Amino acid sequence: MFTKILIANRGEIACRVAATARKMGIKTVAVYSEADAGAKHVAVCDEAVCIGPAAAKESYLCADKIIAAALATGAQAIHPGYGFLSENSDFADACVTAGLVFIGPPASSIRAMGSKSAAKSLMEKADVPLVPGYHGDNQDADFLQLEADKMGYPVLLKASAGGGGKGMRVIEKSADFKAALASCKREAISSFGDDRVLAEKYLQRPRHIEIQVFADTHGNCVYLFERDCSVQRRHQKVLEEAPAPGMTLERRAAMGNAAVAAAKAVGYVGAGTVEFIANQDGSFYFMEMNTRLQVEHPVTEMITGTDLVEWQLRVAAGEPLPMLQHQLKLHGHAIEARIYAENPEKGFLPSTGTLKHLRTPSAVTFELGNASIPAAVRIDSGVRAGDTISPFYDPMIAKLIVWGEDRNEALARMAQALSEYQIVGLANNIAFLQRLIASQSFSSADLDTGLIERNGDALFPAAAPVSIDVLALAAVALVTSEKSAAANDPFGNTSGWRMNSGLQRTLHFADAALEDAEAQPLTVEYQSDGWQIGLGSASVKTTLSLHDNSDFRLTLDQRAVRGSVVRDGDVFHVFAGGGRTALNYNDPLAHAGAAEADGGRLTAPMPGKVVAVLVEKGQHVKKGEPLVIMEAMKMEHTIAAPGDGMVEEVLYAIGDQVADGAPLLAFKLA
Ligand code: MV4
């Protein structure tokens, strides 16, 4: 076995490979770009080598720099992860030339599967089923139309050089054929510089079902059952599961044997995936083979109790496969959800920035390999709280993988784990994933590649009004933070600050998900043992039973309510009842003050009385910190710092009456 390997990747997959290497006592070398110097994958490896600037083309895609790093650090093998150089046959060759082991298939297998049309004719010879169609060289329009007429409509034209859904045309009837062919060829030449097309019978509502295969250098090749990856958005997988719902033993064996035949036809070694497109009736056809470990490999690990990275390392070191076909057993059901930094409400626009707050579901374990009871909840992630998601790389934050005895148990665990996932700082798809797994189509396993588009309405419901539970949590978080700010201040302590019964203030929180949302006034009346909180005609007696950092337990009348509130500037992120709500806190007084602050003064928004002065002359404060509290018409108003800065002068004392517009403090912004 190797004693040291280099991991030619970043993010979650680099961390994933490092975890198995550590388990096996193998030292790891990370490579990283200048943007990743502080990244998690660098921290979890034993050594690290910087290989260039942030752009992948100048770092993670530089074969020469990576091979030089392996040679310089004494690594014996390179694991490419997925993406980047993982399916680059020249890189695989270059590793071998440099005397290093490429932890992946032989370059010849990568090449054989890399050319889609050549792969199809190889598969045809190996008796792997192909979609009925014409994949040949004859590009004559009349000939192609005749072929289409023979297979029957609808027909799908695909660019031979295409992939990822580009350059495809569905043709409903023969009369439309010529126009569609011309348009498909135009797109193919402009996108791929190659106008050859192939014609296939078009499958309606197909499923994406792929088979995990594994081969060693001793002639063994097995399949580790299937994954259903039908739930995609623009050819990006969103949910993956194993086994595929509705799969029969006969069809599993037929697909498994076809996948093994495909792997053997190209002399495959290592981990690979054979993708099939399947009809609702179960008939299946070869699409392509991915000659690498895939993102969604954990669902296979969970149902088979294997560590596929360990298998990769053993096979690359020349050992035989740890298990043969008859030893592989399928146990339970696993589902993976990809958590992305993206905004589903804004067309899934990627989001970049800092993970200001991150809390992952509890009871997370990471046990692989011969585990009789698989980990029930697993998170594979390449980022930690405080890390950034940059525009340079894939915006995936984590993979959340759950296991259950059956699909319903796995679904319930997924729902629970998603509800416990807390992210602040980046737009993310967690609420979308919650709706997706709860959708009628997904929960009843009515799967096909058009599921997300077909369920648009259910997946993007109109926003519901913010509940009083959520507003109460935000309000209590706000008033308790002010109270502790006052208590921490020596002048605050002696200032006569009080929670006097009957004092009432009005808070304005607006749903941040809605543009121009009207903030409903929330009234908070201080009482000796809590608050009376009112919203419209509703009013609840609120007491605080537990407060631990961002976690709160309240009693609203007779109901116990718990949740977490994370404040990010003027935005309060409330996690409660499995949901997540961002509230814009509009403190009109702080903003009125802010408008005046440029002139160096914070002014009274209305006539009233100063009830608390929380700062002293010369004190440095942070943006949003409460400075002075005024009372007017039995309502309390906080004058907060408009930005980071310094109090130059305090112009009033507790008990003073002030006129509308009177300067309260002289304030200097930092
Ligand atoms: C198809 C098809 C229906 N019929 N071929 C899309 C990407 C490319 N790799 C193959 N694709 C498809 N080929 C026939 N004959 C539907 C798709 C397809 C699809 C396939 C797998 C996963 C997601 C998909 C989303 C849309 C269309």
Side-chain angles (χ1 to χ4, degrees):
M1 183 46 66
F2 314 115
T3 55
K4 190 190 273 192
I5 62 169
L6 181 142
I7 303 168
N9 216 299
R10 65 179 305 283
E12 69 89 14
I13 190 60
C15 298
R16 163 73 191 87
V17 172
T20 288
R22 171 166 292 273
K23 181 186 85 173
M24 296 172 71
I26 299 168
K27 293 260 179 275
T28 51
V29 181
V31 291
Y32 64 97
S33 72
E34 284 159 17
D36 277 341
K40 182 181 170 191
H41 80 276
V42 174
V44 300
C45 287
D46 297 301
E47 290 173 66
V49 180
C50 183
I51 50 166
K57 261 206 293 220
E58 298 179 70
S59 50
Y60 297 106
L61 287 169
C62 288
D64 295 350
K65 291 186 191 174
I66 290 166
I67 288 171
L71 295 173
T73 54
Q76 298 116 19
I78 298 184
H79 195 302
Y82 54 71
F84 294 137
L85 294 168
S86 61
E87 297 188 271
N88 184 317
S89 52
D90 293 340
F91 179 65
D93 272 339
C95 288
V96 175
T97 304
L100 298 163
V101 175
F102 176 73
I103 303 170
S108 57
S109 303
I110 303 176
R111 281 197 191 96
M113 285 299 182
S115 158
K116 304 297 165 208
S117 51
K120 285 212 163 101
S121 34
L122 270 174
M123 293 305 112
E124 202 159 24
K125 283 199 202 95
D127 282 331
V128 178
L130 299 180
V131 186
Y134 178 75
H135 302 120
D137 289 331
N138 192 339
Q139 294 289 306
D140 177 74
D142 289 319
F143 172 82
L144 289 172
Q145 183 165 19
L146 213 65
E147 288 293 320
D149 293 348
K150 272 197 282 184
M151 68 185 90
Y153 292 86
V155 160
L156 184 66
L157 284 180
K158 291 182 184 174
S160 299
K166 226 172 169 194
M168 301 206 306
R169 290 286 182 291
V170 181
I171 308 176
E172 299 292 344
K173 54 186 192 296
S174 190
D176 300 340
F177 188 87
K178 290 271 166 57
L181 177 66
S183 130
C184 187
K185 280 183 173 288
R186 271 196 304 276
E187 187 177 330
I189 194 94
S190 77
S191 299
F192 313 110
D194 178 348
D195 75 349
R196 283 173 301 166
V197 298
L198 49 88
E200 284 180 355
K201 180 86 188 155
Y202 178 64
L203 310 186
Q204 321 236 14
R205 300 196 53 201
R207 284 165 70 177
H208 171 128
I209 298 180
E210 57 185 35
I211 307 285
Q212 176 72 54
V213 294
F214 234 106
D216 63 19
T217 51
H218 303 271
N220 302 303
C221 185
V222 299
Y223 60 88
L224 291 97
F225 315 115
E226 76 282 358
R227 297 184 284 260
D228 191 315
C229 311
S230 298
V231 184
Q232 310 196 355
R233 210 199 116 259
R234 304 212 180 155
H235 307 286
Q236 276 265 37
K237 291 169 187 163
V238 179
L239 295 172
E240 302 105 334
E241 60 184 301
M247 180 65 83
T248 64
L249 290 176
E250 294 73 27
R251 198 171 304 123
R252 177 171 296 129
M255 292 183 84
N257 289 329
V260 166
K264 285 186 166 164
V266 295
Y268 205 79
V269 175
T273 295
V274 182
E275 280 185 21
F276 293 99
I277 188 166
N279 255 324
Q280 293 290 326
D281 69 6
S283 52
F284 61 91
Y285 308 100
F286 174 85
M287 285 268 112
E288 59 185 76
M289 181 170 186
N290 299 312
T291 55
R292 58 165 194 274
L293 187 71
Q294 293 203 213
V295 176
E296 59 271 26
H297 75 276
V299 293
T300 299
E301 294 183 322
M302 278 189 160
I303 61 155
T304 56
T306 55
D307 177 342
L308 295 182
V309 174
E310 179 182 339
W311 283 40
Q312 285 189 296
L313 294 171
R314 294 199 181 285
V315 165
E319 294 182 24
L321 289 178
M323 292 167 96
L324 295 178
Q325 196 66 56
H326 69 276
Q327 296 170 301
L328 283 160
K329 295 278 177 286
L330 191 164
H331 182 209
H333 199 100
I335 305 175
E336 172 177 286
R338 298 192 190 187
I339 297 171
Y340 284 108
E342 65 182 14
N343 191 338
E345 275 69 38
K346 292 196 175 141
F348 295 88
L349 194 73
S351 171
T352 57
T354 303
L355 278 163
K356 292 180 181 156
H357 168 86
L358 174 69
R359 190 188 292 173
T360 53
S362 53
V364 179
T365 53
F366 194 91
E367 283 168 31
L368 292 169
N370 303 325
S372 53
I373 301 164
V377 179
R378 166 175 166 185
I379 294 165
D380 282 16
S381 179
V383 288
R384 306 148 299 189
D387 286 348
T388 54
I389 299 282
S390 76
F392 299 109
Y393 315 111
D394 186 273
M396 193 163 75
I397 298 170
K399 304 187 303 202
L400 172 61
I401 314 109
V402 300
W403 180 91
E405 285 288 347
D406 57 25
R407 189 173 193 267
N408 283 336
E409 190 180 73
L411 263 175
R413 281 223 171 97
M414 179 61 85
Q416 182 168 343
L418 285 170
S419 77
E420 290 174 7
Y421 223 110
Q422 298 181 1
I423 295 173
V424 171
L426 290 158
N428 64 77
N429 64 339
I430 290 179
F432 175 77
L433 289 168
Q434 290 179 299
R435 295 191 294 266
L436 188 56
I437 62 150
S439 70
Q440 172 64 26
S441 295
F442 189 76
S443 61
S444 67
D446 180 16
L447 307 175
D448 73 280
T449 59
L451 186 147
I452 290 178
E453 274 138 0
R454 213 177 35 259
N455 286 273
D457 293 348
L459 298 176
F460 294 98
V466 179
S467 73
I468 196 161
D469 295 17
V470 166
L471 290 166
L473 282 161
V476 170
L478 176 74
V479 300
T480 52
S481 72
E482 289 173 352
K483 191 176 156 194
S484 56
N488 287 338
D489 184 283
F491 286 78
N493 268 336
T494 55
S495 69
W497 163 261
R498 66 222 137 95
M499 296 289 134
N500 54 332
S501 291
L503 179 64
Q504 183 171 300
R505 62 197 289 200
T506 303
L507 305 175
H508 294 90
F509 290 106
D511 188 344
L514 301 175
E515 307 249 336
D516 309 319
E518 276 288 314
Q520 280 214 67
L522 189 74
T523 57
V524 178
E525 188 189 324
Y526 289 84
Q527 298 172 334
S528 56
D529 57 344
W531 308 267
Q532 189 71 30
I533 295 184
L535 175 70
S537 58
S539 179
V540 287
K541 165 80 187 189
T542 302
T543 56
L544 176 60
S545 45
L546 188 137
H547 177 196
D548 179 11
N549 290 308
S550 62
D551 295 334
F552 293 86
R553 286 191 196 191
L554 309 181
T555 305
L556 303 189
D557 288 340
Q558 313 303 325
R559 282 185 313 118
V561 170
R562 70 161 77 180
S564 306
V565 185
V566 179
R567 185 171 184 174
D568 180 15
D570 283 341
V571 186
F572 284 65
H573 295 263
V574 182
F575 300 92
R580 48 214 69 244
T581 312
L583 297 170
N584 286 326
Y585 173 52
N586 303 324
D587 187 346
L589 306 167
H591 291 164
E596 301 295 319
D598 292 338
R601 299 232 175 289
L602 287 164
T603 56
M606 57 183 71
K609 192 167 92 170
V610 173
V611 295
V613 177
L614 308 172
V615 290
E616 61 174 312
K617 180 178 176 173
Q619 190 173 330
H620 292 267
V621 295
K622 292 256 175 260
K623 181 182 179 189
E625 232 175 84
L627 308 174
V628 169
I629 305 200
M630 285 185 61
E631 188 192 295
M633 295 175 290
K634 273 243 152 214
M635 307 268 272
E636 191 191 296
H637 305 284
T638 305
I639 286 80
D644 294 359
M646 197 260 284
V647 177
E648 288 186 306
E649 199 72 59
V650 180
L651 302 165
Y652 285 92
I654 293 156
D656 287 350
Q657 288 288 340
V658 292
D660 186 14
L664 297 169
L665 303 115
F667 188 80
K668 199 166 144 228
L669 286 168

